[in-house]
């Protein structure tokens, strides 16, 4: 039997990323607990992603092609991003702009967000969850938000946060096992895409 594929995506542009530390801890829990789940982590900062220019997703090449194909192949995802100016990062926005519309359809998505303080906590509800819903993905209700106080000496040090990360990924795995990808609700409205020359 083929293993479930769980993909972690770090959308932090920072070289010393607390967000990536949290994502790594979450994925480590999956590797420790589930023998039947294959994991992978993409750190968008390390990749040469093309800027979205409106082309069909099938026409991207290089790192962009690899990332698109990896997201599409995943059965479940954990997406982690710092919050800047009340929203997710530009590199996460660019990723979702190049993805096919059905890339997340029917898939559970666990969300990890971080900030210097709890100032941007509600951005998870107002920014990230609607984004996943647009793609007909299933944002797991209990996201994890971290701030600088949860880290010490360059590592994630708060036991409560570590426990919540484990709860999050357990929920993602359980959701992927129990809910078929076809359970997504009503169809989207039909919107015909036209180029400028066709309008």
């Amino acid at each position: 039997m083929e293993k479930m594929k769980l993909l972690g995506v770090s959308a932090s542009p920072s070289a010393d990323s607390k967000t990536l530390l949290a994502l790594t801890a979450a994925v480590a829990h999956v590797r420790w607990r589930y023998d039947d789940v294959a994991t992978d982590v993409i750190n968008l900062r390390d990749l040469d992603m093309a800027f979205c220019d409106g082309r069909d997703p099938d026409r991207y090449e290089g790192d962009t092609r690899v990332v698109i194909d990896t997201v599409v192949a995943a059965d479940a995802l954990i997406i982690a991003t710092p919050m800047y100016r009340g929203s997710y990062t530009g590199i996460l926005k660019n990723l979702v702009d190049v993805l096919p519309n059905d890339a997340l359809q029917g898939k559970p998505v666990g969300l990890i967000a971080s900030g210097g303080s709890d100032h941007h906590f509600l951005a998870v509800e107002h920014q990230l969850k609607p984004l996943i819903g647009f793609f007909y993905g299933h944002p797991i209700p209990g996201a994890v938000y971290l701030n600088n106080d949860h880290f010490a000496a360059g590592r994630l040090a708060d036991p409560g946060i570590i426990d919540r990360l484990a709860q999050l990924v357990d929920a993602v795995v359980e959701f992927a096992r129990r809910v078929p990808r076809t359970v997504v609700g009503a169809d989207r409205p039909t919107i015909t895409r036209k180029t400028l020359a066709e309008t």
Side-chain angles (χ1 to χ4, degrees):
M1 184 175 177
E2 188 175 352
K3 289 186 175 184
M4 179 193 303
K5 297 176 184 174
L6 185 143
L7 176 64
V9 178
S10 172
S12 174
S14 173
D16 299 315
S17 173
K18 295 181 179 74
T19 308
L20 179 58
L21 287 176
L23 177 64
T24 302
V27 173
H29 175 78
V30 177
R31 291 174 179 159
W32 168 77
R33 183 164 185 186
Y34 301 101
D35 292 335
D36 59 341
V37 179
T39 61
D40 194 8
V41 174
I42 290 175
N43 186 0
L44 294 176
R45 181 187 186 279
D46 293 340
L47 302 174
D48 185 20
M49 292 284 292
F51 283 111
C52 177
D53 57 12
R55 78 182 93 162
D56 188 286
D58 288 338
R59 294 177 56 203
Y60 286 99
E61 301 175 344
D63 285 351
T64 311
R65 170 86 274 125
V66 171
V67 171
I68 291 171
D69 291 344
T70 305
V71 171
V72 169
D75 299 302
L77 295 95
I78 306 289
I79 296 177
T81 180
M83 290 297 183
Y84 296 156
R85 308 292 192 223
S87 189
Y88 47 88
T89 59
I91 59 176
L92 179 54
K93 179 65 168 81
N94 189 60
L95 170 63
V96 298
D97 283 348
V98 301
L99 288 178
N101 286 346
D102 61 355
L104 305 179
Q105 185 164 315
K107 301 177 184 181
V109 181
L111 297 169
I112 300 170
S114 63
S117 69
D118 288 338
H119 187 69
H120 297 303
F121 173 77
L122 286 178
V124 174
E125 305 298 326
H126 298 294
Q127 298 287 326
L128 288 174
K129 289 183 180 179
L131 175 67
I132 303 306
F134 169 83
F135 283 94
Y136 276 37
H138 297 289
I140 297 299
V144 177
Y145 185 91
L146 308 96
N147 65 47
N148 287 344
D149 293 337
H150 298 134
F151 298 85
R155 65 182 185 86
L156 181 59
D158 187 286
I161 290 293
I162 293 169
D163 185 55
R164 276 183 255 169
L165 289 169
Q167 291 173 357
L168 175 66
V169 294
D170 287 343
V172 169
V173 171
E174 190 68 16
F175 192 105
R177 286 177 172 164
R178 290 181 178 229
V179 180
R181 283 202 209 163
T182 53
V183 180
V184 293
D187 290 338
R188 297 179 179 88
T190 301
I191 301 172
T192 304
R193 296 179 68 177
K194 294 182 179 180
T195 65
L196 186 60
E198 293 171 328
T199 57

